[in-house]
PDB file of all heavy atoms in Angstrom:
ATOM      1  N   ASN X   7       2.090   1.124   0.528  1.00 93.00           N
ATOM      2  CA  ASN X   7       2.997   2.273   0.430  1.00 93.00           C
ATOM      3  C   ASN X   7       3.302   2.581  -1.034  1.00 93.00           C
ATOM      4  O   ASN X   7       3.406   3.748  -1.419  1.00 93.00           O
ATOM      5  CB  ASN X   7       4.281   2.019   1.212  1.00 93.00           C
ATOM      6  CG  ASN X   7       4.029   2.045   2.704  1.00 93.00           C
ATOM      7  OD1 ASN X   7       3.149   2.752   3.191  1.00 93.00           O
ATOM      8  ND2 ASN X   7       4.786   1.255   3.442  1.00 93.00           N
ATOM      9  N   ARG X   8       3.445   1.559  -1.851  1.00 94.00           N
ATOM     10  CA  ARG X   8       3.693   1.750  -3.285  1.00 94.00           C
ATOM     11  C   ARG X   8       2.497   2.432  -3.929  1.00 94.00           C
ATOM     12  O   ARG X   8       2.640   3.332  -4.753  1.00 94.00           O
ATOM     13  CB  ARG X   8       3.978   0.399  -3.944  1.00 94.00           C
ATOM     14  CG  ARG X   8       4.204   0.432  -5.437  1.00 94.00           C
ATOM     15  CD  ARG X   8       5.475   1.158  -5.857  1.00 94.00           C
ATOM     16  NE  ARG X   8       6.680   0.485  -5.454  1.00 94.00           N
ATOM     17  CZ  ARG X   8       7.476  -0.203  -6.259  1.00 94.00           C
ATOM     18  NH1 ARG X   8       7.195  -0.305  -7.529  1.00 94.00           N
ATOM     19  NH2 ARG X   8       8.557  -0.765  -5.790  1.00 94.00           N
ATOM     20  N   VAL X   9       1.302   2.028  -3.556  1.00 96.00           N
ATOM     21  CA  VAL X   9       0.078   2.658  -4.066  1.00 96.00           C
ATOM     22  C   VAL X   9       0.081   4.144  -3.704  1.00 96.00           C
ATOM     23  O   VAL X   9      -0.172   5.000  -4.558  1.00 96.00           O
ATOM     24  CB  VAL X   9      -1.190   1.967  -3.511  1.00 96.00           C
ATOM     25  CG1 VAL X   9      -2.439   2.783  -3.807  1.00 96.00           C
ATOM     26  CG2 VAL X   9      -1.327   0.560  -4.061  1.00 96.00           C
ATOM     27  N   MET X  10       0.375   4.441  -2.451  1.00 96.00           N
ATOM     28  CA  MET X  10       0.374   5.843  -2.009  1.00 96.00           C
ATOM     29  C   MET X  10       1.443   6.652  -2.731  1.00 96.00           C
ATOM     30  O   MET X  10       1.199   7.796  -3.121  1.00 96.00           O
ATOM     31  CB  MET X  10       0.574   5.916  -0.490  1.00 96.00           C
ATOM     32  CG  MET X  10      -0.584   5.335   0.309  1.00 96.00           C
ATOM     33  SD  MET X  10      -2.166   6.172   0.037  1.00 96.00           S
ATOM     34  CE  MET X  10      -1.858   7.719   0.864  1.00 96.00           C
ATOM     35  N   ASP X  11       2.626   6.068  -2.929  1.00 96.00           N
ATOM     36  CA  ASP X  11       3.694   6.767  -3.652  1.00 96.00           C
ATOM     37  C   ASP X  11       3.261   7.099  -5.082  1.00 96.00           C
ATOM     38  O   ASP X  11       3.487   8.218  -5.565  1.00 96.00           O
ATOM     39  CB  ASP X  11       4.974   5.927  -3.688  1.00 96.00           C
ATOM     40  CG  ASP X  11       5.643   5.823  -2.329  1.00 96.00           C
ATOM     41  OD1 ASP X  11       5.299   6.607  -1.420  1.00 96.00           O
ATOM     42  OD2 ASP X  11       6.512   4.925  -2.173  1.00 96.00           O
ATOM     43  N   LYS X  12       2.655   6.125  -5.767  1.00 96.00           N
ATOM     44  CA  LYS X  12       2.188   6.350  -7.142  1.00 96.00           C
ATOM     45  C   LYS X  12       1.088   7.398  -7.176  1.00 96.00           C
ATOM     46  O   LYS X  12       1.062   8.264  -8.056  1.00 96.00           O
ATOM     47  CB  LYS X  12       1.692   5.046  -7.778  1.00 96.00           C
ATOM     48  CG  LYS X  12       2.777   4.034  -8.010  1.00 96.00           C
ATOM     49  CD  LYS X  12       3.767   4.540  -9.037  1.00 96.00           C
ATOM     50  CE  LYS X  12       4.882   3.540  -9.251  1.00 96.00           C
ATOM     51  NZ  LYS X  12       5.931   4.070 -10.115  1.00 96.00           N
ATOM     52  N   LEU X  13       0.187   7.328  -6.238  1.00 96.00           N
ATOM     53  CA  LEU X  13      -0.920   8.282  -6.187  1.00 96.00           C
ATOM     54  C   LEU X  13      -0.401   9.699  -5.955  1.00 96.00           C
ATOM     55  O   LEU X  13      -0.768  10.635  -6.675  1.00 96.00           O
ATOM     56  CB  LEU X  13      -1.905   7.879  -5.087  1.00 96.00           C
ATOM     57  CG  LEU X  13      -3.154   8.722  -4.945  1.00 96.00           C
ATOM     58  CD1 LEU X  13      -4.001   8.665  -6.210  1.00 96.00           C
ATOM     59  CD2 LEU X  13      -3.974   8.241  -3.751  1.00 96.00           C
ATOM     60  N   ARG X  14       0.451   9.865  -4.982  1.00 96.00           N
ATOM     61  CA  ARG X  14       0.994  11.200  -4.667  1.00 96.00           C
ATOM     62  C   ARG X  14       1.899  11.717  -5.774  1.00 96.00           C
ATOM     63  O   ARG X  14       1.930  12.910  -6.046  1.00 96.00           O
ATOM     64  CB  ARG X  14       1.731  11.152  -3.343  1.00 96.00           C
ATOM     65  CG  ARG X  14       0.788  10.985  -2.170  1.00 96.00           C
ATOM     66  CD  ARG X  14       1.524  10.904  -0.859  1.00 96.00           C
ATOM     67  NE  ARG X  14       0.571  10.799   0.238  1.00 96.00           N
ATOM     68  CZ  ARG X  14       0.728   9.998   1.271  1.00 96.00           C
ATOM     69  NH1 ARG X  14       1.807   9.243   1.380  1.00 96.00           N
ATOM     70  NH2 ARG X  14      -0.183   9.956   2.219  1.00 96.00           N
ATOM     71  N   GLY X  15       2.643  10.812  -6.419  1.00 96.00           N
ATOM     72  CA  GLY X  15       3.548  11.226  -7.488  1.00 96.00           C
ATOM     73  C   GLY X  15       2.822  11.678  -8.736  1.00 96.00           C
ATOM     74  O   GLY X  15       3.182  12.685  -9.346  1.00 96.00           O
ATOM     75  N   LYS X  16       1.798  10.951  -9.126  1.00 96.00           N
ATOM     76  CA  LYS X  16       1.096  11.256 -10.372  1.00 96.00           C
ATOM     77  C   LYS X  16      -0.078  12.211 -10.185  1.00 96.00           C
ATOM     78  O   LYS X  16      -0.438  12.957 -11.093  1.00 96.00           O
ATOM     79  CB  LYS X  16       0.615   9.958 -11.016  1.00 96.00           C
ATOM     80  CG  LYS X  16       0.113  10.159 -12.423  1.00 96.00           C
ATOM     81  CD  LYS X  16       0.180   8.901 -13.228  1.00 96.00           C
ATOM     82  CE  LYS X  16      -0.169   9.239 -14.655  1.00 96.00           C
ATOM     83  NZ  LYS X  16       0.074   8.162 -15.552  1.00 96.00           N
ATOM     84  N   TYR X  17      -0.662  12.200  -8.985  1.00 96.00           N
ATOM     85  CA  TYR X  17      -1.842  13.032  -8.711  1.00 96.00           C
ATOM     86  C   TYR X  17      -1.623  13.788  -7.399  1.00 96.00           C
ATOM     87  O   TYR X  17      -2.292  13.523  -6.395  1.00 96.00           O
ATOM     88  CB  TYR X  17      -3.104  12.167  -8.626  1.00 96.00           C
ATOM     89  CG  TYR X  17      -3.313  11.311  -9.852  1.00 96.00           C
ATOM     90  CD1 TYR X  17      -2.935   9.966  -9.865  1.00 96.00           C
ATOM     91  CD2 TYR X  17      -3.866  11.853 -11.014  1.00 96.00           C
ATOM     92  CE1 TYR X  17      -3.109   9.183 -10.992  1.00 96.00           C
ATOM     93  CE2 TYR X  17      -4.042  11.077 -12.148  1.00 96.00           C
ATOM     94  CZ  TYR X  17      -3.659   9.741 -12.129  1.00 96.00           C
ATOM     95  OH  TYR X  17      -3.832   8.966 -13.247  1.00 96.00           O
ATOM     96  N   PRO X  18      -0.692  14.749  -7.394  1.00 95.00           N
ATOM     97  CA  PRO X  18      -0.332  15.419  -6.139  1.00 95.00           C
ATOM     98  C   PRO X  18      -1.480  16.220  -5.507  1.00 95.00           C
ATOM     99  O   PRO X  18      -1.449  16.482  -4.303  1.00 95.00           O
ATOM    100  CB  PRO X  18       0.831  16.333  -6.533  1.00 95.00           C
ATOM    101  CG  PRO X  18       0.717  16.495  -8.011  1.00 95.00           C
ATOM    102  CD  PRO X  18       0.068  15.252  -8.532  1.00 95.00           C
TER     103      PRO X  18
END
Side-chain angles (χ1 to χ4, degrees):
N7 289 329
R8 178 67 67 105
V9 168
M10 294 299 289
D11 290 345
K12 293 295 179 187
L13 183 62
R14 290 179 178 139
K16 191 156 187 170
Y17 305 99

